[in-house]
Amino acid sequence: MRIVVLVSGGGTNLQAIIDGINNNTIRDTEIVEVVSNNANAYALTRAKENGINGKCISPKDFASREDFNRALVAEMDNLNPDLIVLAGYLVNIPSEMVKKYTNKIINIHPSLIPSFCGKGYYGLKVHEGALKRGVKITGATVHFVDEGTDTGPIILQKAVEVKEGDTPEILQKRVMEEAEWVILPKAIDMIAKGEI
Ligand code: GRF
């Protein structure tokens, strides 16, 4: 299965996918390219270090959002992936791309959807919301991407305990380590094996 991974930041979820392919917990899968909207994303360094083609396609490099959208969709069409994985990707996916790749785009969100998701809930803000509400359990969700934000069909979820004294940073790290880096590779493996 040919996958493209879209990233914006540190790429720890990308690293989990790379590790999963290398230790064979993700079968029959090849990352054909990593695409970032951020030229400085450490995720691009991780790609390079692992011999994976990396590319920056940033809205800043285009005269309009429409031009960026066209360029992103064109890149996907060129690569012709079986699956597009959003791994900490913070740019809105063009609706044309959602339509063209229905049920072929998955996203990892660092909460148990439908809690703490949707507009404005990304990165640390998700964990700040969970701590503010005082939930005892949070976690992560892998879901198919549809036209909305974090609204597509849920594929996998994994719960994580919130602990006394947690800061957003401590909670984010636990959710990444105990949930995100487990269920994203697992979802890709299940899709590769036709189990979803
Ligand atoms: C993190 O906030 C993670 O919870 C979310 O995207 C952000 C960056 O992740 N999924 P990564 O380290 O770039 O994979």
Side-chain angles (χ1 to χ4, degrees):
M1 178 169 77
R2 294 164 52 82
I3 70 173
V4 173
V5 184
L6 304 189
V7 296
S8 296
T12 63
N13 280 285
L14 166 67
Q15 190 62 55
I17 298 168
I18 292 168
D19 296 348
I21 291 171
N22 290 343
N23 67 32
N24 215 15
T25 49
I26 300 177
R27 269 157 288 186
D28 310 326
T29 297
E30 175 202 1
I31 302 173
V32 293
E33 190 169 83
V34 172
V35 178
S36 178
N37 62 299
N38 168 10
N40 303 317
Y42 189 68
L44 288 174
T45 305
R46 294 181 192 272
K48 195 154 179 260
E49 282 170 355
N50 288 276
I52 300 167
N53 200 23
K55 190 171 274 189
C56 176
I57 302 179
S58 166
K60 290 193 217 104
D61 298 337
F62 294 87
S64 70
R65 178 50 66 109
E66 289 69 29
D67 286 354
F68 162 78
N69 288 347
R70 261 192 294 279
L72 188 64
V73 174
E75 183 68 13
M76 295 305 114
D77 292 350
N78 279 342
L79 293 165
N80 188 29
D82 301 301
L83 185 69
I84 298 168
V85 180
L86 310 186
Y89 189 65
L90 297 176
V91 175
N92 282 332
I93 300 298
S95 58
E96 186 202 345
M97 191 162 132
V98 175
K99 288 195 187 78
K100 269 190 162 182
Y101 294 93
T102 302
N103 287 339
K104 286 186 165 184
I105 310 174
I106 64 173
N107 180 49
I108 175 84
H109 182 76
S111 76
L112 295 176
I113 288 175
S115 298
F116 312 114
C117 65
K119 290 246 179 302
Y121 275 113
Y122 58 89
L124 279 179
K125 293 177 188 303
V126 174
H127 307 291
E128 285 161 7
L131 291 171
K132 188 158 175 276
R133 182 64 187 82
V135 295
K136 303 304 175 194
I137 300 288
T138 185
T141 303
V142 179
H143 63 94
F144 284 111
V145 171
D146 66 5
E147 303 276 344
T149 303
D150 304 327
T151 50
I154 290 172
I155 300 170
L156 289 178
Q157 293 189 303
K158 192 166 189 304
V160 170
E161 193 187 354
V162 181
K163 294 183 176 170
E164 273 305 303
D166 270 350
T167 63
E169 290 77 5
I170 291 171
L171 185 53
Q172 177 180 55
K173 193 166 184 305
R174 188 177 313 122
V175 169
M176 287 167 112
E177 286 171 350
E178 296 184 11
E180 295 179 48
W181 301 346
V182 173
I183 60 174
L184 185 56
K186 183 157 175 51
I188 294 168
D189 181 57
M190 289 171 75
I191 292 169
K193 289 191 296 183
E195 287 177 1
I196 293 176

